[in-house]
């Protein structure tokens, strides 16, 4: 369920806190194949189900960068700041992929606000996104995302 935060300024007092958890998203083979086509990364571990079944994970797995690229979806389905008129991706700090994402996995993201810095017309947020796989104790991606939000 998407969390609604009334005002960007409300986040200044929430540094260090979890601010939202996104909805679940299932990663199917079609999404993996389309990402492979978009990026040119057709390694068999991602796109050859027969060969991948005999590989280290027993099935195809999503690209790490596919998982990372879903941050936009997770943000949209995690929280909305009601008075923000525009947001910009400003970059990433640390990114890690601690565990694989086998085809058919359900993923969601937990968001912790690491920093809030006022900028002209809004604020820069540093948010740690921990992407979880349903049924796994280990996250599949942990990324520190920088966004600029403008009111």
């Amino acid at each position: 369920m998407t969390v609604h935060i009334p005002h960007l300024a409300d986040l200044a007092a929430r540094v260090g806190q979890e601010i939202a958890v996104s909805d679940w998203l299932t990663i199917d083979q079609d999404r993996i194949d389309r990402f492979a086509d978009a990026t040119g990364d057709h390694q068999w571990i991602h796109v050859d189900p027969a060969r991948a079944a005999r590989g280290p994970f027993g099935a195809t797995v999503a690209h790490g960068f596919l998982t990372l690229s879903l941050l936009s979806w997770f943000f949209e389905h995690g929280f909305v700041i009601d008075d923000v008129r525009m947001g910009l991706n400003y970059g990433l700090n640390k990114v890690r992929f601690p565990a694989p994402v086998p085809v058919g996995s359900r993923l969601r993201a937990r968001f912790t606000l690491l920093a809030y810095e006022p900028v002209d017309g809004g604020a820069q947020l540093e948010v740690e996104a921990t992407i979880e796989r349903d049924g796994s104790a280990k996250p599949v991606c942990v990324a520190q995302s920088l966004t600029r939000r403008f009111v």
Side-chain angles (χ1 to χ4, degrees):
M1 172 180 257
T2 304
V3 172
H4 282 266
I5 299 164
H7 305 285
L8 179 61
D10 296 342
L11 288 173
R14 299 200 49 199
V15 172
Q17 297 177 20
E18 181 173 277
I19 57 173
V21 178
S22 76
D23 295 331
W24 290 100
L25 175 66
T26 300
I27 306 303
D28 60 18
Q29 189 62 48
D30 181 60
R31 183 182 297 268
I32 294 170
D33 291 341
R34 287 184 288 129
F35 188 83
D37 289 342
T39 62
D41 182 352
H42 292 94
Q43 185 180 167
W44 63 269
I45 196 71
H46 305 302
V47 298
D48 186 339
R51 186 172 176 192
R54 299 183 308 272
F57 306 112
T60 56
V61 294
H63 307 71
F65 285 140
L66 167 56
T67 305
L68 183 63
S69 75
L70 293 170
L71 278 180
S72 296
W73 189 94
F74 290 123
F75 270 108
E76 181 180 334
H77 292 88
F79 65 96
V80 172
I81 306 166
D82 294 333
D83 67 346
V84 166
R85 64 178 170 79
M86 182 179 72
L88 297 173
N89 176 3
Y90 196 66
L92 298 162
N93 286 338
K94 185 176 178 180
V95 178
R96 297 291 183 264
F97 303 104
V101 178
V103 67
S105 295
R106 283 182 0 124
L107 306 180
R108 72 176 176 189
R110 292 186 172 279
F111 298 105
T112 300
L113 183 62
L114 299 179
Y116 177 100
E117 179 183 333
V119 296
D120 191 27
Q124 179 171 294
L125 307 179
E126 182 179 0
V127 176
E128 183 172 81
T130 301
I131 303 175
E132 306 171 326
R133 180 169 58 95
D134 194 15
S136 175
K138 198 175 221 184
V140 298
C141 180
V142 181
Q144 295 171 356
S145 172
L146 299 172
T147 59
R148 289 200 169 178
R149 309 292 178 107
F150 299 94
V151 295

